[in-house]
Amino acid sequence: MALDEFAAPAELLHPNSPLAKLAADMLRAPQALLQLSPEEAQTVVAHMAPRFIPAHTRFITEGSPSHNDGFMVLILDGDVEVESLMQAGTPPLTLKVMGPGSLLGEVSLLDQGARTASCHASSDLLCAVLSRPALEALLAQSPALGAKLVLAIAARMAERMRDTSRQFKLYAKLAQAMQHAHERGIVHR
């Protein structure tokens, strides 16, 4: 899904509009891509398309291929629940709730692989979308900025991987402690 069905008026992200300036500021926020200057963020926003997604709409589905329609979403207003299926036939597990200034979909934007989680709008959602073709256009028009954007996205993904690694280590320690407690007869059923 390229989110085309959720198109919002293009004027919303016109270079001098208040929303475009807000989007550029959000791109530079700590939870997004700090490495961009204000001017660079505005140039990136000029390559993004506004989208309005109604509440309770799933707009990214875990496991779905992105092929040539990979995209990254910058949340401008509203909240998104990021979910993952842990086991077939069970309800999805909410991994986190993300709000304004958050980025979603960076992995599939870059590698065009299957989506790693599902996302649905828990409220009406206004967002700016950078599609794979728009990223390629940015790279062609401004190679230095395009490269800087890709490196910033890669750094953000590396940070998430480090966080995940720390969480796995914590879970492993917890599982080990539970195993030791069970072996010593401390845990009763």
Side-chain angles (χ1 to χ4, degrees), residues 36-37 39-47 130 133-151:
L36 300 178
S37 72
E39 297 77 21
E40 290 168 334
Q42 289 172 350
T43 300
V44 172
V45 169
H47 285 80
L130 182 66
L135 174 61
E136 290 171 354
L138 176 63
L139 283 162
Q141 293 168 4
S142 181
L145 174 56
K148 188 173 183 179
L149 175 63
V150 169
L151 285 172

Side-chain angles (χ1 to χ4, degrees), residues 63-140:
S64 66
S66 62
H67 301 300
N68 293 330
D69 70 346
F71 59 87
M72 176 178 75
V73 174
L74 171 64
I75 302 171
L76 301 174
D77 189 42
D79 293 310
V80 172
E81 289 186 27
V82 180
E83 303 172 330
S84 185
L85 291 173
M86 294 296 151
Q87 183 177 343
T90 62
L93 174 67
T94 299
L95 303 174
K96 62 173 68 175
V97 176
M98 301 179 84
S102 298
L103 292 172
L104 305 165
E106 310 95 315
V107 174
S108 290
L109 172 69
L110 295 183
D111 76 0
Q112 298 183 345
R115 296 292 179 168
T116 59
S118 294
C119 298
H120 81 269
S122 51
S123 63
D124 286 343
L125 187 66
L126 180 60
C127 54
V129 175
L130 182 66
S131 67
R132 177 66 181 234
L135 174 61
E136 290 171 354
L138 176 63
L139 283 162

Side-chain angles (χ1 to χ4, degrees), residues 7-28 38 41-42 44-46 48-52 74-78 100-101 125-129:
E11 307 83 56
L12 287 176
L13 288 179
H14 183 272
N16 293 322
S17 74
L19 195 58
K21 290 177 184 174
L22 175 65
D25 288 343
M26 286 180 168
L27 269 180
R28 299 182 62 246
Q42 289 172 350
V44 172
V45 169
M48 299 175 94
R51 296 290 182 259
F52 175 79
L74 171 64
I75 302 171
L76 301 174
D77 189 42
L125 187 66
L126 180 60
C127 54
V129 175

Side-chain angles (χ1 to χ4, degrees), residues 176-189:
Q176 187 178 35
M178 290 175 65
Q179 179 64 34
H180 286 118
H182 179 72
E183 289 170 357
R184 289 182 291 192
I186 297 173
V187 177
H188 302 285
R189 290 187 178 205

